Amino acid sequence: MLGILLQCFLVTFSAYAVADKISTEVEMISTISSLHSEETDSPVDSLSSLEPLLESIEDNHWDLARIEGLVLKAELLLYLNEVKTAEEVLQKIKLLANNNIPETTSIRINLLHLELLNNEAKVMEILNLHKTLYQQISTSDDSFIKAKVYLSIGASLYLLELFDGAIEELTKGYEIYKLDGNQFGMIDALNSLASVYTELKDYKLALEYHNEAYDYVIDKGNTYAQSILEYNIAGNYAKLEDYSNAIEFYTKAKTSGESADFAAISFFSEHRTASIYLIQEMWEEAVSLLLRVEQYYAKTNDNIFQFDAINDIVKAYIGMSDLDSATTYLLKSKALLTELHTPRRQIMHNTVAASLAYKKGEYKSGFEVLNKNIELIEQQFEEQQKQNAQKLKVRFDTELIESRNTALIESRKLDAIIISKQQNMMKAWFLIFCLGVLLVLTIFWALHNKEKQRELFERLAMTDPLTEAPNRRAILAFADQQITKTELNPKHNFFVGIADLDKFKQFNDTYGHDAGDFILRLFAKACKKTMKKGDEFGRFGGEEWLFVFCNSTESEIETVFENIKTYLGKQVVQGVPDSYDITFSMGVAKFDANSGNSLRDVINCADAMMYKAKTTGRNKLISST
C-alpha cells in the first residue's frame, strides 16, 4: 500500500513540476497531445498528469488549450467507464467550442458524443452522427483519426446489431493501423472484432483475434490493455464452457487490473468468476467473491452492477439453503429496483424471488411472482412493438395467448388434483412453476430473435452508403413504378438515361480513390440540385448512374444534362489541378408501352447510346429517338 501511495505522489508531483515549466499556450497544447497517446500504460496515470495542466490552463485563460485538455479528460473518463462524469465534461466542451477549433478536435468531440449516444441507444441520432463523421474524415489527411473514426463507427454498429457493417468498419481501421505500424491501434481493432464474433457465437474465431491482440499487449508490457484482453479471453472460454481456462484468465485479469490501478476490471473479473462458481454450484466460493464485489459496486454508485451482484448473492445463498441471508439480500435487490426503473431488472428480481419462494416451499407465491414477470414481459414487448412492424406484434400476441391458454388448462388440471389429492399439492405447484419458467424463457427467446429494426434495414438497403443517393435496387424499383403508371395512364411517359463519368478509372489511378469518392459524391449532389421534381436518379454501379425522366421532352433532358455539366465545371477538387474538367457521357431511350419492350430492353438501349457518346468524343448526350 505504501508503494502505491508513493507512486501516486511521484506521478502527481512530476505532473505539477511539468505544468510549472510551461509558459505558452502552444507549448501546453503540445504537452497535452503527448498525453493523448495509445501507448500510455494507464488512463488513471494520464488523468493524474492532466489535472495539474488543466489548473495551469485555467490560471492562464488559454481557451484552445482548455478545450484540448477537456476533450482528453472526457476520453480518459470513458476508458474508465465513468460515463456520467464524461458527459458533464462534454457539456463544458460544447459551451467552449467554436468554429475556430481544429478539425481533428471537432472529430474527437463528435466521437465522444457518439459513445454517449451508444450508451443511450438513440438509433437515428447515432446514424446521423455516422454521416457527419464520414464527411469530416473525407477531407482529413490524419490516418490516426481516420482509423479511430472507423473503429468507433464499427463499435457503434456492433451495438446496433448491424454486425456485417461493424466488421467492415473495424477491418478498415485495423488495416490503417497496420499500415502505420500502430500496434496499440491494432490491439483495439482486434479486440473489437473479437467482440463482434463473440456476439455472433463464433467463440473460437473470437479467441483467435483476442490471442493475436494479447501477444501484442504482452510484448508492449501494457498492463491496462492486458487486463481488458484477459477479461475478454476469459469470457470466450466461459461461453465455450471451458471453465478452467475461463477462471485462469479472470484471475490474470484481476491481477493485471490491480497492477494497472484499474479497479473496475479486477472486480468485474471476480464477479464473472463467481458466476462460473454458481454454474458449478460452488456456493461458498461464489458468495465469498460476490460479497466483496457488491461492496465495491456500492462504493462506486454503480447501481446496475450492484443489483446484478446482489441477485447472484441471493442465488448462492439459495444454493447453500441459507434462506434468511437470501431473504435479506433479496430485500436489498428490491430497494435498488426503485432507482433503476428497468423492466429487465424487475424480471431478474422476480425470477430470483420465485426461486427463493420455491426453496421455502411457497409454490403458489412463486408462481404468482412468475405471473408478474409474464405481465412485465408483455408490457416490455408492447413498448418495443410500437417501434416495429404491427404484423410481428399480432403474431407474437397469438403465440402469447396460446401459451397462456396452455398454462391455464394445466393450472385447472392441477387445481383439480390439489382439491382431490392434497398429498400431491407440492408436485402440482412445482409443475406449474416449471411451466412458468418455460413460458418466460420462450418469450425472451421470441423477443431476442424476432425484434429487429426493420425500418432501419429497409432504408439502408435502398441507399448507396458512399453518395447517399438511391442505390441500384431503389432506382430500378422507381423505374418499375413508372411502367405501372404508363400501363394505367397512356398519357404518362418516361425516358431512361444511363450516364458514366468520363475516364474515371484513369482519374482514380492518378489522384487516388479518396478523390474518386469525392467526385462520385459531387456528381450525386449535382443531380439532386438540377433534376426536377418527379424525376429520379440512382447509382447503378461504380461510376455509372441510371436516370428516370418522367413526362419530359428531349429538350428538357438536354437542359438537365447541361445544368449538371455546368455545376460540375464550377467545383474545385482538392489535390486535382484547376484545369481538370469533370465530364460525363449520357445516353437516353424512351419507354414505349406499345412496343412490348421490357425495362431491361430500354436500359440496354440507353446504355448503347451512352457508349456511342463515349466513342464519338465523350462529354455529350445522345438519344435513341
Side-chain angles (χ1 to χ4, degrees):
M1 176 62 72
L2 182 61
I4 294 173
L5 290 172
L6 179 60
Q7 181 182 1
C8 292
F9 171 76
L10 290 174
V11 169
T12 306
F13 179 80
S14 174
Y16 275 101
V18 170
D20 288 341
K21 293 180 180 179
I22 298 173
S23 58
T24 67
E25 185 173 20
V26 173
E27 189 179 356
M28 178 61 77
I29 292 173
S30 177
T31 304
I32 293 171
S33 297
S34 69
L35 285 176
H36 180 225
S37 168
E38 298 289 349
E39 301 192 15
T40 303
D41 187 56
S42 166
V44 176
D45 290 343
S46 294
L47 275 174
S48 298
S49 300
L50 182 61
E51 287 303 328
L53 301 180
L54 289 172
E55 291 180 20
S56 177
I57 288 169
E58 291 293 334
D59 293 340
N60 288 282
H61 305 291
W62 290 332
D63 293 338
L64 188 56
R66 182 184 292 115
I67 293 172
E68 294 289 338
L70 289 174
V71 169
L72 178 57
K73 182 176 182 178
E75 290 171 341
L76 294 170
L77 287 168
L78 284 175
Y79 283 138
L80 295 170
N81 202 35
E82 295 184 25
V83 177
K84 290 183 180 179
T85 311
E87 190 167 8
E88 292 170 1
V89 174
L90 181 59
Q91 292 305 317
K92 291 181 182 178
I93 294 168
K94 289 181 177 179
L95 291 173
L96 294 169
N98 53 49
N99 295 330
N100 296 324
I101 62 173
E103 183 67 14
T104 299
T105 305
S106 175
I107 292 172
R108 289 170 62 196
I109 293 172
N110 282 332
L111 289 176
L112 288 170
H113 188 202
L114 176 61
E115 187 155 352
L116 292 171
L117 286 176
N118 288 337
N119 290 328
E120 299 173 19
K122 295 183 177 178
V123 178
M124 294 314 299
E125 289 185 48
I126 288 170
L127 293 174
N128 287 331
L129 193 50
H130 287 181
K131 289 182 183 178
T132 300
L133 287 164
Y134 280 130
Q135 290 170 353
Q136 286 182 305
I137 64 172
S138 67
T139 57
S140 175
D141 296 325
D142 189 332
S143 62
F144 176 81
I145 202 69
K146 277 188 175 182
K148 196 166 185 177
V149 167
Y150 287 136
L151 256 62
S152 295
I153 292 177
S156 182
L157 293 173
Y158 159 72
L159 293 172
L160 292 175
E161 297 186 8
L162 299 172
F163 299 122
D164 289 343
I167 291 171
E168 181 179 348
E169 298 304 312
L170 292 171
T171 302
K172 285 180 185 176
Y174 173 79
E175 293 296 337
I176 293 175
Y177 282 136
K178 187 176 181 181
L179 190 64
D180 290 348
N182 187 326
Q183 287 193 350
F184 281 93
M186 292 165 64
I187 291 167
D188 195 7
L190 290 168
N191 189 40
S192 298
L193 282 165
S195 297
V196 176
Y197 284 109
T198 296
E199 192 67 26
L200 293 171
K201 302 189 187 321
D202 192 342
Y203 305 122
K204 291 183 179 179
L205 182 56
L207 272 173
E208 288 181 16
Y209 279 113
H210 274 143
N211 284 325
E212 185 178 350
Y214 191 56
D215 289 341
Y216 284 125
V217 166
I218 295 297
D219 182 56
K220 287 290 183 182
N222 186 315
T223 53
Y224 174 79
Q226 179 181 335
S227 66
I228 295 174
L229 277 166
E230 287 166 344
Y231 178 84
N232 289 335
I233 290 170
N236 277 305
Y237 277 125
K239 295 288 187 182
L240 291 168
E241 299 183 3
D242 185 349
Y243 297 129
S244 176
N245 272 320
I247 290 174
E248 177 187 344
F249 272 90
Y250 278 135
T251 303
K252 288 181 178 181
K254 178 180 181 298
T255 303
S256 300
E258 290 170 347
S259 175
D261 197 19
F262 188 14
I265 204 72
S266 297
F267 284 99
F268 288 161
S269 299
E270 287 196 341
H271 194 169
R272 297 280 72 79
T273 301
S275 298
I276 293 174
Y277 288 154
L278 289 177
I279 294 170
Q280 296 175 329
E281 298 185 0
M282 297 169 64
W283 313 118
E284 290 82 1
E285 293 85 344
V287 165
S288 176
L289 292 176
L290 288 167
L291 290 174
R292 183 164 61 249
V293 167
E294 190 268 333
Q295 290 177 1
Y296 168 75
Y297 293 148
K299 288 179 182 177
T300 57
N301 295 318
D302 200 329
N303 293 341
I304 291 178
F305 286 116
Q306 184 187 4
F307 176 86
D308 293 346
I310 290 172
N311 274 271
D312 285 341
I313 290 171
V314 177
K315 293 176 190 175
Y317 277 133
I318 291 173
M320 296 166 62
S321 296
D322 185 350
L323 304 187
D324 289 340
S325 297
T327 302
T328 300
Y329 275 91
L330 187 65
L331 291 173
K332 288 186 70 173
S333 168
K334 186 175 181 180
L336 271 178
L337 270 177
T338 60
E339 300 179 29
L340 297 177
H341 304 295
T342 62
R344 181 168 175 264
R345 258 65 192 190
Q346 179 70 64
I347 291 167
M348 290 170 63
H349 171 81
N350 288 351
T351 303
V352 175
S355 298
L356 180 57
Y358 168 69
K359 190 72 174 181
K360 291 178 177 180
E362 300 169 356
Y363 303 110
K364 188 170 183 177
S365 172
F367 182 68
E368 288 172 351
V369 172
L370 282 175
N371 267 336
K372 291 180 182 177
N373 261 7
I374 293 170
E375 292 174 6
L376 282 171
I377 293 167
E378 183 180 11
Q379 291 170 9
Q380 189 178 21
F381 174 75
E382 288 174 355
E383 188 64 29
Q384 290 177 350
Q385 284 300 92
K386 291 177 183 178
Q387 304 172 16
N388 293 286
Q390 187 66 25
K391 181 179 177 181
L392 185 60
K393 181 181 185 304
V394 173
R395 181 178 176 185
F396 183 84
D397 286 343
T398 302
E399 293 175 355
L400 187 60
I401 291 168
E402 290 174 354
S403 299
R404 283 181 166 178
N405 288 340
T406 302
L408 183 60
I409 292 169
E410 292 299 324
S411 176
R412 287 173 178 172
K413 288 180 181 178
L414 290 170
D415 284 341
I417 294 171
I418 291 169
I419 293 170
S420 61
K421 295 181 180 181
Q422 194 68 29
Q423 65 271 25
N424 290 330
M425 182 179 66
M426 184 177 294
K427 182 178 179 181
W429 282 114
F430 176 74
L431 182 57
I432 295 174
F433 175 83
C434 291
L435 286 171
V437 171
L438 181 61
L439 182 58
V440 170
L441 292 174
T442 300
I443 295 172
F444 263 117
W445 179 87
L447 286 172
H448 178 73
N449 287 279
K450 297 175 184 177
E451 289 300 315
K452 300 294 180 183
Q453 299 287 341
R454 293 183 181 274
E455 292 182 5
L456 173 63
F457 285 143
E458 288 176 4
R459 189 177 64 78
L460 292 175
M462 302 295 280
T463 304
D464 176 53
L466 176 64
T467 63
E468 298 181 14
N471 61 13
R472 182 188 184 99
R473 180 189 299 176
I475 189 62
L476 287 175
F478 181 81
D480 281 331
Q481 291 172 7
Q482 304 317 305
I483 292 177
T484 303
K485 287 184 179 179
T486 302
E487 291 171 349
L488 295 174
N489 181 9
K491 293 183 179 180
H492 183 79
N493 68 83
F494 68 96
F495 282 83
V496 169
I498 292 286
D500 188 88
L501 292 167
D502 293 331
K503 299 182 179 180
F504 188 73
K505 183 179 183 305
Q506 181 181 340
F507 180 89
N508 265 345
D509 293 341
T510 304
Y511 301 108
H513 289 282
D514 284 347
D517 289 348
F518 181 82
I519 293 295
L520 292 173
R521 287 193 293 268
L522 197 62
F523 186 83
K525 186 176 180 181
C527 294
K528 289 176 184 176
K529 284 183 172 293
T530 56
M531 293 184 68
K532 69 178 173 63
K533 186 176 180 181
D535 294 347
E536 190 57 277
F537 77 101
R539 190 177 177 192
F540 202 52
E543 69 272 23
E544 198 169 52
W545 303 78
L546 178 64
F547 292 76
V548 178
F549 301 100
C550 300
N551 296 317
S552 298
T553 64
E554 290 188 24
S555 174
E556 289 172 333
I557 296 172
E558 180 73 34
T559 300
V560 171
F561 176 81
E562 292 298 330
N563 287 341
I564 295 173
K565 279 176 56 178
T566 301
Y567 182 90
L568 294 175
K570 295 178 180 179
Q571 306 307 309
V572 176
V573 182
Q574 189 174 0
V576 177
D578 294 342
S579 59
Y580 185 89
D581 291 329
I582 305 168
T583 64
F584 68 102
S585 302
M586 179 184 284
V588 295
K590 187 175 183 180
F591 177 80
D592 184 355
N594 298 320
S595 67
N597 289 337
S598 66
L599 175 61
R600 173 52 56 189
D601 295 331
V602 180
I603 291 174
N604 288 341
C605 181
D607 194 47
M609 293 301 100
M610 183 271 289
Y611 275 105
K612 184 175 180 181
K614 290 272 190 185
T615 56
T616 58
R618 296 188 179 89
N619 196 24
K620 63 173 66 174
L621 180 148
I622 294 181
S623 172
S624 64
T625 59

